[in-house]
Amino acid sequence: MKNITLLSVNARYTHSNLAILYMRDILAGLNYNISILELTINTDKFKILANIIATNPDIIAISTYIWNAQVVEFLTENLKKLYPEKVLVLGGPEVSYNFEKWENLNFPPDYIIQGAGESGFRRLAESDFALEESIINIPNDNFINKSVPYTREDLDRIKLKYIYYEASRGCPFKCSFCLSSRSDQKLQYKQIDIVIKELTEILKSNPRIIKFVDRSFNANRVFARQVWQFISELEQETKFHFEVHPALLEDQDFEILEKIPPERIQFEIGVQSTNNKTLQAINRNYAFSSFKHKLTRLLNIKNIHTHLDLIAGLPYEDKTSYLNSINDLLELDADVIQLGFLKVLSGTEMHDKAEEYELVYDSETPYQILKNKWLTFEDIVYLHKFEDVFDAFYNSEKFKNTINEFKSCFARPVDLFIGLADCFSNLEEMSSYNLNKKFELFYSFLIETLGTAQENKISDFLSWDWILHSRKNNTPACLDHSQNLAYKNQVFDDLKTEAKQLWIDRLADKAKELKKCAFFVARSKEFSTKILNGKSKAIVFKDYIYF
């Protein structure tokens, strides 16, 4: 019996790979011994190579994506140099549409499987891995008949990682930068009763998160509502992740989502741009104004964590337009706004229009844009610096109260972050800043921009964010900690006197946690009113605030 090793090199430890489990299942009934090997791109390449050989494979099949392509290229060349007799098969989106690159390696793979590869891999295995053609493209059966490939052992192995689930394949939209826009990516759904049955089985392992990989989950509105209704009635803490299109949300959706338990669902929404000319150019046929009110309504459902995505480098969007897109989303007060950069993927319309748009992009994965007709390389460098600053100060949520309070002091919310970005002279400088130093920079920036008359208020909001999101030690020198320390000393002095019982009565069972608490005294009336319900002092516990 021959040995097949199915390898996935994931982007990080918390990820898992659904594709190799489908490949394992498609070989059911054939005479092979199959090993599953999941590692990460952070694993030393030599060790990955050693781990593969330790499984004693006759056939090695590797799932290939833009995030692991460089590792896979190393493995391909060295496996074929060391063990030319072993059959090497590559599959996945990275090799499906630029297979010429992989065929032209000094030591190329034996086979490349294009597209959703279950049927192609089955056919190859049935031939005992002896097909004459090296590029294999065999259409799959209808996805409606595809069972989830997880076994109980799989679920126990990965329950603390992302568990990926497909309720559908394909996408109804034709976004020019996305491989799912291709005509061979037909939209197909499983039956809802099968989905519920499979989810019920997966949930028995109490996974941390189930991430639906469906490209636009709510393209079938009725189907989406049935899944969300099922999730809303669960009595466990598993979180579910969906990619949705806000333009497709209707009143019935909101009625269900408004009742979803907190932290049960998180949404990712690819807005990509708010420039309507840009949206039309990438085949997004919804103007931003047509679904902005639905985004607003969704974001007002505070029990759902929502990420909004933008892409820099799209047609007709220059630096000013991209910053305007960021500002439009900032005004919606999203939880996270992910700023990405165009990746010019083989097989997409964007790749075909590279000359028209004057796209210059990295020839190595992830094929990221360097410039185009609307953005210079210097613009791209600036936007990378802006992204780093934006992630550190906005997406980290460690400065949330300060940002919410002071963003109205700027002409536009985005101008606050433009100002912070201008504090850094280059891309490397930001990476040298620890949390303490970021607080100090934010303090100095606000004082310089808004004036010393706002000093107490600035100090209050930054101190509060520090207490909520740090370990409470090593308070930044710019934040006056003396009153907080005095309040702490007062409380602990009281605990040595007859006043001890008063604190025990006030705090009940929380009194025993006082040594682990942070103590806060406001210096500005505005802070007391907005954050402390008019009180001037607070004791901050891990999950409770006493005013």
Side-chain angles (χ1 to χ4, degrees):
M1 181 184 295
K2 290 185 177 179
N3 298 327
I4 299 177
T5 295
L6 300 173
L7 172 67
S8 172
V9 185
N10 301 327
R12 60 186 66 176
Y13 174 77
T14 53
H15 293 180
S16 60
N17 187 296
L18 187 58
I20 60 173
L21 301 184
Y22 278 126
M23 296 304 118
R24 178 194 63 193
D25 279 16
I26 202 67
L27 300 186
L30 300 182
N31 195 30
Y32 292 102
N33 180 47
I34 301 173
S35 298
I36 297 290
L37 187 59
E38 289 201 60
L39 302 168
T40 79
I41 57 174
N42 297 315
T43 307
D44 180 82
K45 290 185 289 187
F46 179 83
K47 291 180 179 178
I48 297 176
L49 191 60
N51 276 315
I52 294 171
I53 298 306
T55 64
N56 192 31
D58 300 295
I59 299 103
I60 303 158
I62 307 178
S63 184
T64 315
Y65 301 85
I66 55 174
W67 61 78
N68 68 12
Q70 293 180 23
V71 175
V72 175
E73 185 172 340
F74 167 87
L75 296 173
T76 299
E77 296 231 15
N78 288 287
L79 283 167
K80 295 310 294 181
K81 280 192 288 188
L82 289 166
Y83 302 96
E85 75 282 2
K86 296 184 186 297
V87 177
L88 180 60
V89 185
L90 302 185
E94 169 53 24
V95 298
S96 289
Y97 307 108
N98 64 345
F99 55 85
E100 297 92 347
K101 166 188 171 180
W102 295 87
E103 283 189 310
N104 291 324
L105 294 177
N106 292 329
F107 296 87
D110 297 286
Y111 296 101
I112 290 174
I113 298 180
Q114 292 183 303
E118 292 99 322
S119 293
F121 196 52
R122 173 81 185 194
R123 178 69 185 90
L124 184 58
E126 288 172 339
S127 75
D128 196 27
F129 293 87
L131 290 179
E132 290 186 10
E133 64 270 26
S134 61
I135 307 299
I136 300 168
N137 190 340
I138 299 176
N140 278 342
D141 294 334
N142 195 310
F143 181 68
I144 192 173
N145 301 315
K146 185 69 64 180
S147 298
V148 68
Y150 294 118
T151 65
R152 179 55 48 199
E153 292 75 17
D154 294 329
L155 293 170
D156 288 342
R157 174 175 59 87
I158 64 174
K159 66 181 180 180
L160 298 180
K161 302 182 180 184
Y162 286 15
I163 292 182
Y164 295 100
Y165 183 81
E166 281 184 301
S168 65
R169 278 188 184 174
C171 185
F173 301 105
K174 300 298 178 184
C175 301
S176 63
F177 53 84
C178 181
L179 287 171
S180 294
S181 68
R182 292 175 53 86
S183 59
D184 56 359
Q185 302 289 314
K186 295 180 180 179
L187 182 58
Q188 299 174 329
Y189 280 88
K190 290 184 178 182
Q191 296 291 336
I192 185 62
D193 58 333
I194 298 299
V195 172
I196 299 303
K197 180 181 178 181
E198 290 180 338
L199 288 175
T200 300
E201 190 63 28
I202 292 171
L203 287 165
K204 290 179 181 178
S205 65
N206 291 314
R208 186 175 64 88
I209 183 167
I210 296 175
K211 186 170 184 177
F212 281 68
V213 296
D214 307 59
R215 283 304 185 185
S216 294
F217 179 75
N218 62 328
N220 183 326
R221 295 168 173 85
V222 173
F223 182 88
R225 287 171 202 146
Q226 290 174 308
V227 174
W228 291 336
Q229 186 64 50
F230 166 75
I231 290 171
S232 72
E233 296 170 0
L234 294 174
E235 295 184 358
Q236 60 188 92
E237 295 182 357
T238 299
K239 183 176 290 187
F240 295 80
H241 178 104
F242 300 93
E243 183 177 326
V244 298
H245 198 308
L248 305 180
L249 293 171
E250 298 176 334
D251 286 343
Q252 300 99 306
D253 300 300
F254 289 111
E255 289 170 5
I256 295 171
L257 295 173
E258 285 165 355
K259 298 174 183 177
I260 291 283
E263 302 299 319
R264 178 65 54 82
I265 281 181
Q266 62 184 33
F267 282 157
E268 182 173 350
I269 297 175
V271 178
Q272 318 310 9
S273 172
T274 65
N275 182 322
N276 289 334
K277 191 171 184 180
T278 297
L279 292 173
Q280 291 174 3
I282 63 173
N283 304 324
R284 289 243 168 172
N285 298 318
Y286 294 92
F288 177 66
S289 59
S290 71
F291 62 83
K292 180 180 177 180
H293 66 289
K294 294 186 178 184
L295 265 182
T296 301
R297 184 174 177 183
L298 179 62
L299 292 168
N300 284 335
I301 303 175
K302 297 302 182 182
N303 55 336
I304 296 176
H305 200 266
T306 305
H307 293 196
L308 305 183
D309 298 346
L310 293 173
I311 298 177
L314 296 176
Y316 304 103
E317 183 137 76
D318 59 14
K319 176 182 169 183
T320 298
S321 173
Y322 186 66
L323 292 172
N324 286 341
S325 289
I326 296 170
N327 190 70
D328 287 337
L329 300 193
L330 279 169
E331 290 181 341
L332 300 179
D333 200 25
D335 296 308
V336 172
I337 302 173
Q338 297 178 148
L339 308 181
F341 290 81
L342 177 65
K343 296 171 180 62
V344 185
L345 305 177
S346 295
T348 64
E349 180 184 322
M350 188 67 68
H351 183 272
D352 295 340
K353 291 188 173 182
E355 184 175 350
E356 176 185 346
Y357 295 151
E358 299 176 16
L359 296 175
V360 177
Y361 55 93
D362 191 347
S363 58
E364 298 296 326
T365 54
Y367 313 115
Q368 191 158 284
I369 188 168
L370 300 174
K371 74 172 187 175
N372 65 14
K373 188 184 291 188
W374 301 273
L375 290 169
T376 66
F377 177 67
E378 289 73 19
D379 291 335
I380 293 289
V381 171
Y382 173 83
L383 293 178
H384 274 284
K385 181 176 73 168
F386 185 95
E387 178 196 25
D388 288 347
V389 169
F390 193 80
D391 282 343
F393 289 95
Y394 186 87
N395 286 337
S396 71
E397 299 189 81
K398 292 176 180 176
F399 301 86
K400 192 169 186 176
N401 291 287
T402 305
I403 290 170
N404 286 342
E405 177 62 23
F406 293 103
K407 65 184 180 182
S408 62
C409 298
F410 296 80
R412 306 175 302 165
V414 74
D415 292 331
L416 186 158
F417 301 98
I418 291 172
L420 284 170
D422 289 343
C423 294
F424 297 93
S425 58
N426 58 59
L427 280 170
E428 287 301 314
E429 191 178 355
M430 180 69 206
S431 62
S432 68
Y433 275 55
N434 59 23
L435 186 61
N436 192 305
K437 203 169 180 181
K438 289 170 189 172
F439 270 85
E440 290 181 348
L441 180 136
F442 205 175
Y443 175 84
S444 298
F445 168 72
L446 290 174
I447 291 292
E448 182 177 340
T449 305
L450 305 179
T452 55
Q454 298 263 37
E455 183 176 5
N456 285 343
K457 183 179 174 183
I458 292 168
S459 181
D460 276 348
F461 277 93
L462 280 171
S463 295
W464 188 249
D465 278 329
W466 175 269
I467 286 172
L468 294 181
H469 299 290
S470 75
R471 295 302 182 204
K472 306 176 185 68
N473 297 318
N474 302 318
T475 304
C478 61
L479 304 178
D480 185 356
H481 189 57
S482 59
Q483 293 187 62
N484 298 346
L485 184 59
Y487 179 37
K488 177 180 179 179
N489 290 337
Q490 174 201 326
V491 172
F492 280 92
D493 286 344
D494 286 349
L495 294 175
K496 298 174 185 178
T497 69
E498 60 273 12
K500 177 179 180 178
Q501 190 59 46
L502 292 175
W503 282 109
I504 292 175
D505 293 342
R506 292 169 185 166
L507 300 175
D509 59 336
K510 292 290 183 182
K512 59 186 177 183
E513 300 177 24
L514 275 170
K515 289 184 178 180
K516 299 179 181 179
C517 291
F519 294 77
F520 180 85
V521 178
R523 301 197 297 175
S524 65
K525 186 174 181 180
E526 295 98 320
F527 183 90
S528 296
T529 301
K530 292 182 178 180
I531 305 297
L532 303 184
N533 296 330
K535 304 293 178 62
S536 62
K537 298 177 180 178
I539 302 175
V540 182
F541 296 81
K542 182 179 180 180
D543 55 358
Y544 173 75
I545 298 175
Y546 170 77
F547 299 130

